Short mmCIF file of all heavy atoms in Angstrom, two decimals:
data_model
loop_
_atom_site.label_atom_id
_atom_site.label_comp_id
_atom_site.label_asym_id
_atom_site.label_seq_id
_atom_site.Cartn_x
_atom_site.Cartn_y
_atom_site.Cartn_z
N ASN A 1388 64.56 24.60 -0.18
CA ASN A 1388 64.39 24.69 1.26
C ASN A 1388 65.37 25.79 1.86
O ASN A 1388 66.53 25.54 2.07
CB ASN A 1388 64.55 23.42 1.88
CG ASN A 1388 64.55 23.53 3.48
OD1 ASN A 1388 64.01 24.52 4.03
ND2 ASN A 1388 64.97 22.57 4.15
N SER A 1389 64.87 26.97 2.14
CA SER A 1389 65.74 28.09 2.57
C SER A 1389 65.73 28.15 4.10
O SER A 1389 66.30 29.15 4.60
CB SER A 1389 65.29 29.35 1.87
OG SER A 1389 64.00 29.67 2.44
N HIS A 1390 65.19 27.19 4.73
CA HIS A 1390 64.98 27.26 6.23
C HIS A 1390 66.23 27.61 6.94
O HIS A 1390 66.36 28.64 7.70
CB HIS A 1390 64.40 25.95 6.75
CG HIS A 1390 64.37 25.95 8.28
ND1 HIS A 1390 63.10 26.52 8.92
CD2 HIS A 1390 65.08 25.47 9.21
CE1 HIS A 1390 63.40 26.40 10.15
NE2 HIS A 1390 64.46 25.66 10.51
N TRP A 1391 67.28 26.81 6.88
CA TRP A 1391 68.54 26.98 7.59
C TRP A 1391 69.27 28.25 7.14
O TRP A 1391 69.88 28.99 7.95
CB TRP A 1391 69.48 25.80 7.43
CG TRP A 1391 68.79 24.65 8.25
CD1 TRP A 1391 68.45 23.44 7.65
CD2 TRP A 1391 68.46 24.45 9.56
NE1 TRP A 1391 67.93 22.55 8.48
CE2 TRP A 1391 67.93 23.12 9.85
CE3 TRP A 1391 68.58 25.34 10.71
CZ2 TRP A 1391 67.37 22.74 11.06
CZ3 TRP A 1391 68.10 24.78 11.91
CH2 TRP A 1391 67.49 23.62 12.09
N TYR A 1392 69.24 28.53 5.89
CA TYR A 1392 69.91 29.68 5.29
C TYR A 1392 69.21 30.98 5.93
O TYR A 1392 69.91 32.01 6.36
CB TYR A 1392 69.84 29.75 3.77
CG TYR A 1392 70.55 30.88 3.04
CD1 TYR A 1392 71.87 30.74 2.89
CD2 TYR A 1392 69.87 32.13 2.66
CE1 TYR A 1392 72.71 31.78 2.40
CE2 TYR A 1392 70.67 33.04 2.21
CZ TYR A 1392 71.95 32.98 2.00
OH TYR A 1392 72.68 33.95 1.40
N ASP A 1393 67.89 30.99 6.03
CA ASP A 1393 67.14 32.10 6.46
C ASP A 1393 67.42 32.28 8.01
O ASP A 1393 67.66 33.55 8.44
CB ASP A 1393 65.61 32.00 6.36
CG ASP A 1393 65.19 32.00 4.83
OD1 ASP A 1393 65.98 32.48 4.01
OD2 ASP A 1393 64.08 31.54 4.50
N VAL A 1394 67.48 31.24 8.72
CA VAL A 1394 67.83 31.41 10.19
C VAL A 1394 69.27 31.98 10.36
O VAL A 1394 69.37 32.93 11.19
CB VAL A 1394 67.82 29.95 10.78
CG1 VAL A 1394 68.46 30.05 12.20
CG2 VAL A 1394 66.55 29.34 10.84
N ALA A 1395 70.18 31.54 9.47
CA ALA A 1395 71.53 32.03 9.60
C ALA A 1395 71.72 33.50 9.24
O ALA A 1395 72.30 34.36 9.89
CB ALA A 1395 72.44 31.30 8.79
N GLU A 1396 70.99 33.94 8.09
CA GLU A 1396 70.95 35.40 7.63
C GLU A 1396 70.34 36.30 8.71
O GLU A 1396 70.90 37.25 9.04
CB GLU A 1396 70.17 35.41 6.27
CG GLU A 1396 71.09 35.41 5.13
CD GLU A 1396 70.51 36.21 3.93
OE1 GLU A 1396 69.36 36.20 3.75
OE2 GLU A 1396 71.43 36.89 3.25
N ASN A 1397 69.22 35.83 9.36
CA ASN A 1397 68.75 36.62 10.35
C ASN A 1397 69.62 36.86 11.59
O ASN A 1397 69.68 37.83 12.20
CB ASN A 1397 67.37 36.15 10.79
CG ASN A 1397 66.23 36.37 9.74
OD1 ASN A 1397 66.51 36.98 8.75
ND2 ASN A 1397 64.92 36.08 10.12
N LEU A 1398 70.28 35.76 11.88
CA LEU A 1398 71.26 35.79 13.06
C LEU A 1398 72.33 36.82 12.66
O LEU A 1398 72.79 37.72 13.48
CB LEU A 1398 71.86 34.51 13.37
CG LEU A 1398 70.94 33.49 14.01
CD1 LEU A 1398 71.65 32.01 13.85
CD2 LEU A 1398 70.74 33.94 15.49
N GLU A 1399 72.86 36.78 11.41
CA GLU A 1399 73.91 37.57 10.87
C GLU A 1399 73.45 39.00 10.98
O GLU A 1399 74.27 39.90 11.36
CB GLU A 1399 74.40 37.16 9.53
CG GLU A 1399 75.52 38.00 8.89
CD GLU A 1399 75.76 37.73 7.44
OE1 GLU A 1399 75.15 36.90 6.88
OE2 GLU A 1399 76.68 38.40 6.93
N HIS A 1400 72.33 39.36 10.37
CA HIS A 1400 71.87 40.66 10.26
C HIS A 1400 71.69 41.36 11.60
O HIS A 1400 72.00 42.50 11.88
CB HIS A 1400 70.58 40.69 9.50
CG HIS A 1400 70.76 40.36 7.94
ND1 HIS A 1400 69.70 40.06 7.12
CD2 HIS A 1400 71.92 40.38 7.12
CE1 HIS A 1400 70.28 39.79 5.89
NE2 HIS A 1400 71.48 40.00 5.94
N THR A 1401 71.10 40.56 12.50
CA THR A 1401 70.86 41.09 13.89
C THR A 1401 72.18 41.42 14.64
O THR A 1401 72.25 42.42 15.27
CB THR A 1401 69.98 40.11 14.75
OG1 THR A 1401 68.83 39.83 14.00
CG2 THR A 1401 69.64 40.79 16.08
N MET A 1402 73.17 40.49 14.51
CA MET A 1402 74.49 40.71 15.09
C MET A 1402 75.06 41.94 14.54
O MET A 1402 75.70 42.80 15.26
CB MET A 1402 75.39 39.46 14.96
CG MET A 1402 75.00 38.36 15.77
SD MET A 1402 75.50 38.69 17.52
CE MET A 1402 77.26 38.43 17.47
N TYR A 1403 74.99 42.07 13.22
CA TYR A 1403 75.63 43.32 12.54
C TYR A 1403 74.86 44.49 13.03
O TYR A 1403 75.68 45.53 13.46
CB TYR A 1403 75.43 43.13 11.07
CG TYR A 1403 76.17 44.26 10.25
CD1 TYR A 1403 77.44 44.06 9.77
CD2 TYR A 1403 75.52 45.44 9.94
CE1 TYR A 1403 78.11 44.98 9.01
CE2 TYR A 1403 76.19 46.51 9.18
CZ TYR A 1403 77.50 46.26 8.80
OH TYR A 1403 78.12 47.17 8.10
N ARG A 1404 73.78 44.54 13.09
CA ARG A 1404 72.95 45.72 13.56
C ARG A 1404 73.21 46.13 14.97
O ARG A 1404 73.51 47.28 15.27
CB ARG A 1404 71.44 45.50 13.34
CG ARG A 1404 70.54 46.73 13.61
CD ARG A 1404 69.12 46.18 13.87
NE ARG A 1404 68.96 45.46 14.97
CZ ARG A 1404 67.93 44.50 15.22
NH1 ARG A 1404 67.08 44.32 14.17
NH2 ARG A 1404 67.76 43.82 16.35
N GLU A 1405 73.18 45.07 15.83
CA GLU A 1405 73.43 45.47 17.32
C GLU A 1405 74.85 45.84 17.51
O GLU A 1405 75.04 46.71 18.40
CB GLU A 1405 73.02 44.19 18.01
CG GLU A 1405 71.56 43.83 18.05
CD GLU A 1405 70.64 44.91 18.63
OE1 GLU A 1405 71.00 45.41 19.69
OE2 GLU A 1405 69.72 45.27 17.96
N PHE A 1406 75.81 45.26 16.83
CA PHE A 1406 77.20 45.70 17.15
C PHE A 1406 77.37 47.21 16.63
O PHE A 1406 78.21 47.91 17.15
CB PHE A 1406 78.21 44.73 16.51
CG PHE A 1406 78.68 43.67 17.53
CD1 PHE A 1406 77.80 42.75 17.81
CD2 PHE A 1406 79.88 43.71 18.05
CE1 PHE A 1406 78.14 41.70 18.79
CE2 PHE A 1406 80.25 42.78 19.02
CZ PHE A 1406 79.40 41.79 19.42
N MET A 1407 76.80 47.51 15.43
CA MET A 1407 76.89 48.78 14.90
C MET A 1407 76.32 49.75 15.89
O MET A 1407 76.80 50.91 16.13
CB MET A 1407 76.35 48.90 13.56
CG MET A 1407 77.12 48.24 12.46
SD MET A 1407 78.74 49.00 12.28
CE MET A 1407 78.18 50.69 11.48
N ALA A 1408 75.17 49.40 16.49
CA ALA A 1408 74.40 50.41 17.25
C ALA A 1408 75.06 50.53 18.72
O ALA A 1408 75.05 51.62 19.16
CB ALA A 1408 72.97 49.89 17.49
N THR A 1409 75.71 49.50 19.28
CA THR A 1409 76.27 49.50 20.58
C THR A 1409 77.80 49.77 20.74
O THR A 1409 78.29 50.42 21.60
CB THR A 1409 75.93 48.20 21.38
OG1 THR A 1409 76.61 47.10 20.63
CG2 THR A 1409 74.40 48.08 21.52
N LYS A 1410 78.55 49.31 19.58
CA LYS A 1410 79.92 49.54 19.67
C LYS A 1410 80.48 50.43 18.42
O LYS A 1410 81.68 50.60 18.54
CB LYS A 1410 80.62 48.10 19.61
CG LYS A 1410 80.22 47.23 20.73
CD LYS A 1410 80.84 45.91 20.65
CE LYS A 1410 80.42 44.92 21.75
NZ LYS A 1410 80.73 45.46 23.12
N GLY A 1411 79.54 50.78 17.57
CA GLY A 1411 79.99 51.56 16.47
C GLY A 1411 80.88 50.86 15.44
O GLY A 1411 81.45 51.53 14.53
N LYS A 1412 80.89 49.54 15.52
CA LYS A 1412 81.60 48.80 14.45
C LYS A 1412 80.94 47.40 14.37
O LYS A 1412 80.27 46.95 15.21
CB LYS A 1412 83.12 48.58 14.89
CG LYS A 1412 83.24 47.93 16.28
CD LYS A 1412 84.77 47.76 16.46
CE LYS A 1412 84.99 46.86 17.84
NZ LYS A 1412 86.38 46.79 18.14
N PRO A 1413 81.01 46.92 13.06
CA PRO A 1413 80.41 45.59 12.84
C PRO A 1413 81.08 44.42 13.44
O PRO A 1413 82.20 44.47 13.83
CB PRO A 1413 80.25 45.50 11.32
CG PRO A 1413 81.57 46.27 10.87
CD PRO A 1413 81.74 47.41 11.85
N ILE A 1414 80.36 43.27 13.46
CA ILE A 1414 81.03 42.09 13.71
C ILE A 1414 80.50 41.10 12.52
O ILE A 1414 79.48 41.11 12.04
CB ILE A 1414 80.63 41.46 15.04
CG1 ILE A 1414 81.51 40.26 15.41
CG2 ILE A 1414 79.17 41.08 15.08
CD1 ILE A 1414 81.39 39.79 16.77
N PHE A 1415 81.40 40.24 12.13
CA PHE A 1415 81.19 39.38 10.91
C PHE A 1415 81.16 37.89 11.33
O PHE A 1415 81.88 37.52 12.23
CB PHE A 1415 82.29 39.71 9.88
CG PHE A 1415 82.32 41.03 9.38
CD1 PHE A 1415 83.34 41.94 9.91
CD2 PHE A 1415 81.46 41.51 8.47
CE1 PHE A 1415 83.30 43.25 9.43
CE2 PHE A 1415 81.52 42.85 8.06
CZ PHE A 1415 82.51 43.74 8.49
N PRO A 1416 80.54 37.09 10.49
CA PRO A 1416 80.60 35.70 10.67
C PRO A 1416 81.93 35.11 10.43
O PRO A 1416 82.77 35.76 9.50
CB PRO A 1416 79.66 35.08 9.67
CG PRO A 1416 78.84 36.26 9.17
CD PRO A 1416 79.72 37.47 9.40
N ASN A 1417 82.46 34.12 11.05
CA ASN A 1417 83.67 33.46 10.82
C ASN A 1417 83.37 32.22 10.00
O ASN A 1417 82.23 31.83 9.63
CB ASN A 1417 84.45 33.24 12.07
CG ASN A 1417 83.73 32.34 13.04
OD1 ASN A 1417 83.00 31.46 12.72
ND2 ASN A 1417 83.89 32.70 14.45
N VAL A 1418 84.48 31.36 9.78
CA VAL A 1418 84.39 30.30 8.88
C VAL A 1418 83.29 29.29 9.45
O VAL A 1418 82.78 28.53 8.76
CB VAL A 1418 85.70 29.66 8.68
CG1 VAL A 1418 86.30 28.99 10.08
CG2 VAL A 1418 85.73 28.53 7.64
N ASP A 1419 83.13 29.08 10.71
CA ASP A 1419 82.36 28.20 11.37
C ASP A 1419 80.92 28.49 11.08
O ASP A 1419 79.96 27.52 11.08
CB ASP A 1419 82.55 28.00 12.83
CG ASP A 1419 83.93 27.68 13.16
OD1 ASP A 1419 84.39 26.66 12.66
OD2 ASP A 1419 84.66 28.30 13.89
N PHE A 1420 80.46 29.66 10.83
CA PHE A 1420 79.03 30.02 10.83
C PHE A 1420 78.42 29.38 9.64
O PHE A 1420 77.49 28.59 9.79
CB PHE A 1420 78.90 31.51 10.91
CG PHE A 1420 77.51 31.94 11.02
CD1 PHE A 1420 76.82 31.85 12.23
CD2 PHE A 1420 76.73 32.60 9.97
CE1 PHE A 1420 75.51 32.21 12.42
CE2 PHE A 1420 75.44 32.94 10.13
CZ PHE A 1420 74.85 32.89 11.46
N TYR A 1421 78.66 29.79 8.37
CA TYR A 1421 77.95 29.27 7.26
C TYR A 1421 78.45 27.92 6.91
O TYR A 1421 77.75 27.11 6.13
CB TYR A 1421 78.11 30.25 6.13
CG TYR A 1421 77.06 31.43 6.18
CD1 TYR A 1421 77.44 32.71 6.60
CD2 TYR A 1421 75.86 31.23 5.92
CE1 TYR A 1421 76.54 33.71 6.69
CE2 TYR A 1421 74.71 32.18 6.07
CZ TYR A 1421 75.19 33.42 6.44
OH TYR A 1421 74.21 34.42 6.54
#
């Protein structure tokens, strides 16, 4: 069952993409995320 893993990965990828596009630098998950 990859349901929750897929939700988290999509959140992570979107955050990374948007921060790179708007701020020119990435943002990463912290210990609480996964």
Side-chain angles (χ1 to χ4, degrees):
N1388 174 17
S1389 66
H1390 176 81
W1391 295 115
Y1392 186 82
D1393 292 342
V1394 172
E1396 265 210 322
N1397 281 7
L1398 288 168
E1399 179 188 1
H1400 291 162
T1401 305
M1402 284 289 286
Y1403 186 96
R1404 184 194 71 205
E1405 291 302 309
F1406 268 71
M1407 286 297 294
T1409 60
K1410 300 181 183 298
K1412 61 181 181 180
I1414 190 169
F1415 300 99
N1417 57 39
V1418 66
D1419 299 305
F1420 189 71
Y1421 278 104

